Amino acid sequence: MPAPPSLIRRLSALFYDALLLLAVLFTGTALLLPFRGGHALGAGDPAYSTYLILLSFALLGWQWTHGGQTLGMRAWRLRLQSRDGGPIGWKQAAVRFSAGLLSLAALGLGFLWALVDRDRQCWHDRLAGTRLVWAGEARASGHAHDQVDD
């Protein structure tokens, strides 16, 4: 069974994914502007907020269900899988995404839980029946993230 990743490796992958997601959300917002006559979208607009959440889920859910890796996970050699080691489906992706939002909303406690969990899992993985695993040994490529101590 592959080893669970360290919290540092998880958060590093999350940072990479946040950068990609930010670019996708900017692009998704820009695509809406012609339909609004070029007027700005309000941050408190429930339809706009729902659109951004659905766009985020579409990106992450597709990556999780098609190969089990986001861009950040690939860079940090992580893979998402079901508890049985197989790929996850859209239902698990939806639960993981929703619980991940809860993990973040609780001031990151859902992520910090991995420090005390016997299997080093976060809340969203426990709730969704998924596992994040380290997908391979670091290669001697000279990249700084290859040297992170797991």
Side-chain angles (χ1 to χ4, degrees):
M1 176 183 301
S6 68
L7 182 60
I8 291 172
R9 190 171 285 267
R10 285 175 185 267
L11 294 178
S12 297
L14 180 65
F15 177 73
Y16 281 36
D17 290 335
L19 293 176
L20 174 62
L21 184 58
L22 190 61
V24 168
L25 295 179
F26 272 118
T27 303
T29 298
L31 292 174
L32 290 180
L33 292 178
F35 300 105
R36 298 192 38 95
H39 295 359
L41 296 155
D45 181 355
Y48 177 56
S49 297
T50 301
Y51 170 74
L52 294 179
I53 289 170
L54 290 174
L55 190 57
S56 300
F57 174 65
L59 174 68
L60 295 172
W62 187 84
Q63 292 176 338
W64 292 339
T65 59
H66 291 81
Q69 292 181 303
T70 61
L71 184 64
M73 289 175 176
R74 286 177 195 223
W76 286 90
R77 293 184 181 89
L78 303 178
R79 188 177 64 251
L80 183 65
Q81 59 188 33
S82 288
R83 281 192 191 129
D84 65 6
I88 74 163
W90 280 100
K91 182 179 177 184
Q92 281 180 298
V95 171
R96 188 175 197 272
F97 179 81
S98 300
L101 292 177
L102 176 65
S103 293
L104 287 172
L107 303 175
L109 289 176
F111 288 92
L112 294 175
W113 182 258
L115 294 172
V116 297
D117 187 89
R118 71 177 182 275
D119 298 320
R120 295 196 329 203
Q121 288 194 328
C122 298
W123 288 351
H124 43 279
D125 287 315
R126 284 269 179 220
L127 291 170
T130 59
R131 293 184 320 138
L132 196 59
V133 296
W134 190 27
E137 296 293 325
R139 292 180 289 214
S141 66
H143 293 289
H145 61 77
D146 287 341
Q147 307 304 319
V148 174
D149 183 19
D150 284 309

